[in-house]
Amino acid sequence: MSRTLLIAPLLLFLGVTYLVPLAGVLLQSVTVPEPGLQNYQEVLGDPLVWSVIWRTLRICLFVTVLATVLAYPLTMLWVRGRRPVQIVVELCIMIPFWLSVLSRTFGWLSMLSNRGLLNTWLKDLGIIDMSLTMVRNDFGVIVGMVHFLIPFAVFPLASAMRNMDERVLMAARGIGASRFRVFWQIFVPMTWGGIMGAALLVFVFSIGFYVVPTLLGGGRSVMIAELIYLRIFQIPDWGIAAALSALIMVAVGGFLVTIIRRTGVGSQ
Amino acid sequence: MNTSSAAIEAVAIGKDFGSFTALDDISMTINPGEFVTLLGPSGSGKTTFLMILSGFEQATRGSLLIDGMDRTLSPAEARGFGMVFQGYALFPHMTVEENIAFPLKVQKRSAAQIKSRVAEMIELVGLAGHGHKKPTGLSGGQQQRVALARALAYEPPVLLLDEPFSALDKNLRGQMQEEMRRIHARMGTTFVFVTHDQSEALALSSRIAIFNHGRLQQIATPTEVYERPANRFVAEFLGEINVMPASFTSGMAQVGGISLPLPGPAEGATHLAVRPEKMTLLTGADATAMPCKVTDRIYMGATSRLLLESTTDATPLVLDQPTADLPDGVQPGRQIWVRWAPTDSLIF
Ligand SMILES: Nc1ncnc2c1ncn2[C@@H]1O[C@H](COP(=O)(O)OP(=O)(O)O)[C@@H](O)[C@H]1O
Ligand SMILES: [Mg+2]
């Protein structure tokens, strides 16, 4: 009882700042400009919306796989490496984590743009003649998002690796299994819960990305969050924007529930 | 199912963790097919020694010969000993069958061979019908059997077991001990078994190595360590014993007001010890028996335990007697006499 009282202010705060605007969005989606489901009809019937949704899904799935796969060896070094390696890796994970997404994205912009550092170096070294196009397309968006999301994948993976019983790995080694076999047949399967948790976290975060796709996609690789922004501030069409938001919310929520039910991630 | 088994020779093995010496000057020879138990209190270095035998840890000093070849520096992978870890260390994502098949797959045996060998091992450890379960669906005793089956499946030359029964209840423990003896007899593999339970060690082993504070106190057959302990620690660790202050002169011991012939040299010794079951109780005075007063009588079923105090110097003693043989008159406060054969005296 006293516990409920203690967290009551927090619940109230969350309710006011989160649920109220959410209710507002849902309400707007069926009332603006007039009551009815016409906003949903229009959204679902618009081929542009569908193409943005597919691109978003495609990019997010790709980013999820890439971020999780890259985070995996990084986490291994962090959790199981020698002490100096651990410290270096920890800095590599924590420092970007503290930098704002905006400065990191501008960093990538100056790195990847046509007259950016990478193109300049490659030309100076004589590896390429023409600038490679690495921004204003899916490539730039993916690079920026993966870089931002790797730390988020690291934490669930680290917790899975830390909870592992070292003796199980010793048992496999003692039997004479090669490092390759121990890694693929024992270590990786034992971190499966962490892998699913990491992928889920990255995927859910990536759906709502706005700054990275806007800057690195440069209007050519539009993702769903940017589309909503455009509908609000450029058209402006609040009803359509609200309907889009509601659809994403339901889709992501449904996806999460299904995955969690299926795999039991989070209960482990 | 006779497998090749290896001989192990440890020569002056030492192990330091930083400035802490966990093992010091351990030498022993383990013959092929032997069942050697490492016995000692918690923290005495048993696991560390087993880890050095397995190759998971490297000795700081000394050397290790396996079948006569120096293997001090070879890693666990190269030794290929079977190992049953404290806590079993089963592969949690694999079924019982997959766990047992894993080492066979590592050895690249044919599918048909693997199948028949897994079935044979499951039968051997009494897990028929559980082959498709995951370890989390098994009881402690069953997990224990899977670990044993997995470690034995690929016929390792040596099987190392670290307190395999410590998580089991008493009944199951007894049952597993019997099975362990049976499996050892059948496989002929060299077993090195760690325990802190002295009765387990006495019941199972061909020889017992007793550890304390990282040093080997004695290695000998169960009878010998029990009957002829090398020092007071071994004597007290292996069961109840009466230790009495004594003085020694030219072949005789003076203890508790009596004088007894000595079984051997007693240079520098200060105590004489006798196991409770070696003592006989007398209700009448006898020049060769020690006068005592009964302080308590504890009924324990088939046997009864008498708590005594020697009349001359009030040394506390215990004496176990079959309840049926104990006269009713032997009650607290009563004066009695205890006698033992001079050859049963131990001198420390
Ligand atoms: N990796 C280690 N680092 C530091 N000290 C250790 C390590 N492993 C064991 N020890 C110490 O060595 C001693 C013996 O440990 P161990 O071999 O596990 O004993 P036992 O198995 O007989 O209980 C203990 O005091 C323990 O704290
Ligand atoms: Mg131990």
Side-chain angles (χ1 to χ4, degrees):
Chain A
M1 189 58 215
S2 60
R3 256 192 234 169
T4 324
L5 274 179
L6 277 175
I7 61 165
L10 182 66
L11 288 178
L12 200 69
F13 178 78
L14 283 179
V16 171
T17 57
Y18 187 71
L19 291 177
V20 169
L22 197 67
V25 168
L26 287 176
L27 195 66
Q28 274 183 342
S29 74
V30 290
T31 54
V32 176
E34 61 203 39
L37 290 175
Q38 69 284 358
N39 286 329
Y40 287 94
Q41 236 165 17
E42 197 184 324
V43 166
L44 292 175
D46 184 347
L48 173 72
V49 169
W50 279 109
S51 84
V52 171
I53 287 179
W54 288 130
R55 179 187 295 113
T56 307
L57 271 184
R58 207 173 58 227
I59 291 181
C60 289
L61 281 177
F62 202 73
V63 164
T64 300
V65 172
L66 214 57
T68 310
V69 167
L70 291 176
Y72 202 88
L74 193 70
T75 315
M76 279 185 78
L77 286 177
W78 187 36
V79 174
R80 307 176 58 86
R82 291 172 176 281
R83 195 74 197 116
V85 176
Q86 286 185 335
I87 293 168
V88 171
V89 173
E90 192 161 323
L91 288 176
C92 290
I93 297 168
M94 292 320 267
I95 290 176
F97 203 62
W98 288 326
L99 293 178
S100 98
V101 63
L102 212 56
S103 46
R104 287 167 65 178
T105 309
F106 274 116
W108 277 113
L109 205 55
S110 64
M111 189 81 187
L112 299 178
S113 64
N114 285 358
R115 288 155 181 271
L117 281 175
L118 201 59
N119 271 317
T120 315
W121 285 341
L122 288 176
K123 276 187 215 157
D124 288 351
L125 290 173
I127 297 171
I128 53 168
D129 296 327
M130 298 269 289
S131 284
L132 296 174
T133 312
M134 291 180 287
V135 289
R136 295 169 69 77
N137 58 13
D138 288 1
F139 178 83
V141 175
I142 288 170
V143 168
M145 286 176 74
V146 166
H147 180 243
F148 186 85
L149 288 166
I150 281 177
F152 291 92
V154 163
F155 296 113
L157 289 173
S159 116
M161 289 183 197
R162 291 213 167 94
N163 287 335
M164 189 180 301
D165 182 354
E166 190 65 23
R167 285 176 299 195
V168 176
L169 299 179
M170 286 165 79
R173 273 180 50 206
I175 282 166
S178 63
R179 281 167 170 268
F180 182 82
R181 195 189 277 269
V182 173
F183 179 74
W184 286 108
Q185 296 190 358
I186 310 292
F187 190 84
V188 171
M190 281 178 74
T191 55
W192 193 241
I195 294 173
M196 290 308 290
L200 217 57
L201 198 64
V202 169
F203 184 75
V204 170
F205 266 121
S206 67
I207 294 279
F209 260 48
Y210 173 73
V211 173
V212 179
T214 307
L215 290 179
L216 291 172
R220 296 208 184 171
S221 178
V222 176
M223 282 175 60
I224 197 81
E226 193 181 352
L227 184 68
I228 295 172
Y229 169 85
L230 292 175
R231 288 296 153 102
I232 295 174
F233 292 102
Q234 293 191 345
I235 309 251
D237 193 340
W238 287 78
I240 294 284
L244 258 176
S245 310
L247 281 175
I248 293 174
M249 220 159 57
V250 170
V252 172
F255 173 77
L256 271 184
V257 170
T258 320
I259 294 284
I260 290 174
R261 284 239 179 100
R262 282 273 168 84
T263 63
V265 173
S267 64
Q268 289 171 352
Chain B
M1 199 164 30
N2 203 13
T3 63
S4 67
S5 54
I8 301 172
E9 191 179 353
V11 184
I13 293 278
K15 175 75 185 174
D16 297 341
F17 292 111
S19 62
F20 175 74
T21 301
L23 286 178
D24 195 23
D25 196 23
I26 309 280
S27 295
M28 68 172 78
T29 305
I30 299 170
N31 300 314
E34 245 197 311
F35 193 133
V36 169
T37 297
L38 312 181
L39 175 68
S42 173
S44 58
K46 308 180 296 291
T47 298
T48 306
F49 188 62
L50 206 68
M51 286 295 153
I52 288 172
L53 292 185
S54 67
F56 287 115
E57 291 270 11
Q58 300 259 295
T60 317
R61 291 174 296 281
S63 52
L64 190 73
L65 310 179
I66 295 165
D67 283 336
M69 290 199 289
D70 190 327
R71 295 304 195 94
T72 316
L73 299 176
S74 79
E77 293 86 329
R79 292 186 200 180
F81 290 178
M83 178 104 194
V84 176
F85 289 85
Q86 225 165 347
Y88 318 138
L90 298 176
F91 306 131
H93 56 290
M94 296 185 191
T95 64
V96 169
E97 282 178 353
E98 288 165 345
N99 263 281
I100 300 172
F102 184 82
L104 302 170
K105 285 184 185 152
V106 168
Q107 291 189 338
K108 300 206 166 55
R109 303 222 191 154
S110 74
Q113 261 184 327
I114 293 178
K115 195 158 175 265
S116 75
R117 182 73 179 153
V118 167
E120 191 184 350
M121 293 314 296
I122 285 185
E123 193 63 42
L124 180 75
V125 297
L127 278 175
H130 297 285
H132 295 290
K133 291 186 186 167
K134 292 269 179 74
T136 44
L138 300 175
S139 71
Q142 290 168 333
Q143 292 185 27
Q144 175 54 58
R145 285 156 204 256
V146 180
L148 198 58
R150 183 182 66 183
L152 285 170
Y154 62 110
E155 296 159 66
V158 176
L159 182 64
L160 308 172
L161 305 109
D162 195 357
E163 310 218 14
F165 306 145
S166 58
L168 308 184
D169 65 47
K170 206 162 169 257
N171 278 337
L172 201 53
R173 238 180 140 115
Q175 198 184 326
M176 285 303 297
Q177 286 169 10
E178 255 170 59
E179 262 172 59
M180 187 70 82
R181 286 170 68 104
R182 180 174 59 83
I183 291 168
H184 175 252
R186 202 163 142 203
M187 307 280 293
T189 307
T190 310
F191 276 37
V192 182
F193 180 97
V194 166
T195 183
H196 63 259
D197 178 334
Q198 24 92 7
S199 59
E200 191 164 280
L202 291 170
L204 286 174
S205 335
S206 58
R207 281 191 303 153
I208 302 178
I210 293 147
F211 282 68
N212 192 31
H213 296 310
R215 289 183 153 270
L216 181 61
Q217 306 293 315
Q218 186 175 9
I219 175 165
T221 62
T223 326
E224 211 174 324
V225 288
Y226 187 79
E227 307 264 345
R228 292 281 134 212
N231 56 42
R232 184 168 172 179
F233 172 81
V234 174
E236 290 185 329
F237 195 72
L238 280 173
E240 208 73 53
I241 193 156
N242 294 306
V243 181
M244 300 164 276
S247 58
F248 303 93
T249 47
S250 61
M252 296 297 279
Q254 279 73 44
V255 61
I258 57 168
S259 202
L260 291 171
L262 273 175
E267 220 160 291
T270 51
H271 288 83
L272 188 148
V274 186
R275 295 248 178 239
E277 70 277 8
K278 302 283 187 193
M279 290 177 152
T280 17
L281 177 147
L282 306 173
T283 45
D286 185 310
T288 60
M290 200 165 109
C292 294
K293 202 177 73 181
V294 179
T295 56
D296 206 354
R297 173 176 167 151
I298 303 160
Y299 176 71
M300 299 194 301
T303 62
S304 283
R305 169 162 293 183
L306 291 179
L307 303 187
L308 311 171
E309 219 169 56
S310 90
T311 313
T312 14
D313 52 13
T315 309
L317 303 173
V318 298
L319 181 59
D320 290 336
Q321 292 276 295
T323 305
D325 299 349
L326 204 57
D328 278 341
V330 178
Q331 292 296 343
R334 177 70 197 275
Q335 166 95 36
I336 54 131
W337 289 261
V338 291
R339 184 167 61 187
W340 62 92
T343 47
D344 287 331
S345 298
L346 302 169
I347 284 145
F348 306 122

